[in-house]
Amino acid sequence: MHPFHEGVELLRMRYRELGMTRLLPPERVAIGTESADTAAWGGFHHPDQGYRHLQMRALITMYGPLTSTPQNPSLSALDLLRSYAHDCLHYGSYRSYRLRNGEIVRSQYGVNFRRPDGRTYSAPDTADTPGTRNLGVVMEGACDWEARAITRWAAERCGIQEPEGPDRFAYRDSTGRLNAADLRQLTSRHGLAPHAGAARFLESMGRYTTAVNTRYAWFLDDAGPEEGAELHAEVLRALISGSVSGLCAWLDVRHGPGEFLARFRTPSY
């Protein structure tokens, strides 16, 4: 667990700089280590893993087959760190709720907004779009970009080397090192892993990378060429505070007045 604890100390300092003073409490995190399904494969891309915003709880699974102790303890620790760092940002993001027809609905989450009738600020990206103009994708991408950067630092500090076999994809994914060749192999869905659960996990990794991480990287390159790290920090500050004024000002200086609205708001909003 040394890589996990090293990473938590880093994210504690980093998130404080961004305006987030309280991490996701450990008692709000459930970690699944076993499954009745012998084909189950745990980790960041497990289908039931994720942050439950209304309950303010995170469900995380141990990387690898959910039938025994970790096959690769160091990689499992890195995957756990990436998941926790990611869900800490979801937990720390600004949100507001209202009652609509007797149900609790979220009206703002981070920098994303929703009308009382359910209309969202941004339209979904089309399948053939290489980048994104959807605030939900931007926020998810920002959370994972930061989580993978912290995990990469912990791996380097602890001297964890890239493993061989299918585990190499999980290592590269957790540390933000997946390249175009890796993604082509993941999306081909052929010969990824002999274990059925691991193959499904890697296929899910490919879909998530294409839909979120690749599109977020495009957004940083498009909206902030040569200034991606600075823009990324502005996005994180905005989703934690719930105020888009700093992000809007940053975009206006580089692209002209009203860039945030022009880039993200759908006419139906």
Side-chain angles (χ1 to χ4, degrees), residues 1-31:
M1 292 300 293
H2 182 60
F4 177 81
H5 294 301
E6 286 280 336
V8 168
E9 288 307 309
L10 172 65
L11 70 86
R12 193 186 308 278
M13 294 184 291
R14 167 66 169 167
Y15 292 179
R16 186 181 297 116
E17 293 174 356
L18 296 168
M20 185 174 141
T21 57
R22 187 167 182 241
L23 302 181
L24 174 61
E27 62 268 21
R28 308 300 301 175
V29 181
I31 302 176

Side-chain angles (χ1 to χ4, degrees), residues 123-146:
D125 296 315
T126 58
D128 59 346
T129 303
T132 184
R133 293 180 179 270
N134 181 277
L135 285 172
V137 174
V138 168
M139 292 199 309
E140 176 69 11
C143 290
D144 204 45
W145 185 282
E146 188 67 25

Side-chain angles (χ1 to χ4, degrees), residues 49-115:
Q49 179 159 324
Y51 181 75
R52 275 62 172 168
H53 72 91
L54 197 58
Q55 297 86 355
M56 298 178 70
R57 295 188 65 91
L59 177 61
I60 295 173
T61 53
M62 177 190 73
Y63 173 76
L66 294 177
T67 56
S68 62
T69 56
Q71 289 183 342
N72 189 325
S74 295
L75 183 54
S76 295
L78 291 179
D79 183 86
L80 175 62
L81 173 61
R82 185 258 194 100
S83 297
Y84 181 69
H86 184 112
D87 287 347
C88 274
L89 286 171
H90 284 319
Y91 171 79
S93 295
Y94 178 89
R95 51 198 175 276
S96 62
Y97 299 89
R98 67 178 68 189
L99 283 173
R100 180 166 65 89
N101 299 326
E103 295 183 353
I104 299 173
V105 296
R106 192 169 56 186
S107 56
Q108 182 180 347
Y109 179 46
V111 296
N112 208 356
F113 309 91
R114 187 183 298 272
R115 295 282 194 192

Side-chain angles (χ1 to χ4, degrees), residues 219-233:
F219 161 72
L220 294 179
D221 290 340
D222 180 70
E226 309 301 326
E227 299 176 288
E230 186 178 336
L231 174 57
H232 170 67

Side-chain angles (χ1 to χ4, degrees), residues 121-215:
Y121 194 89
S122 301
D125 296 315
T126 58
D128 59 346
T129 303
T132 184
R133 293 180 179 270
N134 181 277
L135 285 172
V137 174
V138 168
M139 292 199 309
E140 176 69 11
C143 290
D144 204 45
W145 185 282
E146 188 67 25
R148 288 178 296 141
I150 288 170
T151 306
R152 181 169 60 252
W153 179 89
E156 292 170 352
R157 178 148 186 164
C158 296
I160 301 175
Q161 302 298 314
E162 180 179 306
E164 298 181 353
D167 282 349
R168 74 184 187 278
F169 290 110
Y171 177 89
R172 293 178 184 177
D173 179 45
S174 293
T175 57
R177 289 193 171 107
L178 279 179
N179 56 36
D182 296 328
L183 189 56
R184 284 194 296 271
Q185 189 171 355
L186 288 169
T187 54
S188 72
R189 304 182 183 182
H190 295 299
L192 295 177
H195 189 289
R200 290 194 296 268
F201 181 88
L202 294 175
E203 290 172 13
S204 179
M205 181 190 297
R207 291 192 298 269
Y208 181 89
T209 301
T210 301
V212 177
N213 291 334
T214 300
R215 285 178 171 174

